[in-house]
Amino acid sequence: MHPPLALCVFWLLPLALTLEEDSPLDCVPRRSVPYIRANAHLFHEEGVFNYSTMLLREDLDLLLLGAREAVYALDLKDITKKVASVKWEVTQQQRDECRNKGKDPETECMNYIRILHQMEDNRMYVCGTNAFDPECDYMSYADGKLTLEKKAEDGKGKCPFDPFQRYASIMVENNLFSATSMNFLGSEPVLARSSPVSIRTEFKSSWLHGNI
Ligand SMILES: *[C@@H]1O[C@H](CO)[C@@H](O)[C@H](O)[C@H]1NC(C)=O
């Protein structure tokens, strides 16, 4: 490395670390909608929890919503209206295996939808924690129906194993960029690009602090 550049990196690094410690991510949302109970539109389905992932499909007039063990397509003009839905539940065998590894069958051993992105061919890419065994699939919307293709792609490095762990992802030209952890214990943070040619960061806790 060129000496002045190296110097610059080492000078900036402590600064970045200090900033992170002093200010908890101070993000300003692009758009805020005040929540007023009287005129708020709420969607909720009986017995379904953890509505955590959203994808806006203005081309389809839909808001896609990923929850625990299900994905919904809501009417963009009135999100209380469910246009379609598809279930993605873990099997009893997957739940048993997850429980045998010491996880709670009622909370952790379920499929929490964590990734919901649009692909270039207009299908969607969906990943879930899948009872501590993350998995991804392709989903399409046609004739008022949501369909999962059941491709069962490995979700390791794309989606967390642990539903309580934080993560981030973005799809750019069919490349999924993700920040999550790679392993069951959630102790190996990774930044990855998944596409036909996948790349990932090497594991170095000093870079990623081990707490994404
Ligand atoms: C799921 O939702 C329940 C009820 O709101 C909440 O107690 C629980 O912490 C949530 N789980 C996750 C993984 O977010």
Side-chain angles (χ1 to χ4, degrees), residues 22-188:
D22 288 351
S23 57
L25 292 173
D26 201 7
C27 301
V28 180
R30 273 183 292 172
R31 191 200 279 187
S32 314
V33 181
Y35 172 72
I36 305 162
R37 229 170 210 297
N39 63 14
H41 293 282
L42 288 176
F43 171 79
H44 183 258
E45 182 130 300
E46 199 62 39
V48 179
F49 303 94
N50 309 101
Y51 303 87
S52 53
T53 322
M54 284 188 269
L55 171 67
L56 189 59
R57 291 290 308 257
E58 283 176 289
D59 55 327
L60 301 173
D61 270 335
L62 295 174
L63 176 68
L64 277 299
L65 180 61
R68 192 171 82 181
E69 314 241 300
V71 181
Y72 296 95
L74 308 178
D75 185 340
L76 205 48
K77 290 181 203 78
D78 177 0
I79 59 124
T80 62
K81 274 197 211 138
K82 177 176 79 177
V83 177
S85 67
V86 65
K87 288 200 165 172
W88 185 0
E89 297 171 310
V90 298
T91 61
Q92 190 58 47
Q93 191 193 341
Q94 287 171 318
R95 190 167 302 175
D96 291 346
E97 281 168 15
C98 176
R99 186 180 43 206
N100 292 343
K101 291 177 191 158
K103 300 296 174 189
D104 183 349
E106 298 305 319
T107 57
E108 296 168 304
C109 299
M110 292 200 169
N111 193 21
Y112 292 79
I113 305 301
R114 289 293 184 247
I115 285 181
L116 202 46
H117 291 300
Q118 183 173 350
M119 311 275 305
E120 286 190 324
D121 63 5
N122 275 336
R123 287 183 304 168
M124 286 155 278
Y125 197 63
V126 193
C127 308
T129 59
N130 198 41
F132 265 80
D133 185 17
E135 204 173 274
C136 300
D137 200 358
Y138 297 86
M139 182 176 74
S140 46
Y141 174 79
D143 306 323
K145 269 185 73 179
L146 275 180
T147 315
L148 285 165
E149 294 178 13
K150 302 210 164 62
K151 287 272 190 341
E153 279 192 1
D154 190 3
K156 218 162 94 183
K158 303 174 187 172
C159 172
F161 285 62
D162 184 341
F164 289 100
Q165 249 187 356
R166 293 172 67 189
Y167 65 98
S169 72
I170 188 171
M171 183 73 85
V172 181
E173 293 167 354
N174 282 355
N175 295 297
L176 178 73
F177 292 85
S178 50
T180 182
S181 55
M182 261 319 251
N183 60 349
F184 183 85
L185 293 175
S187 56
E188 195 180 330

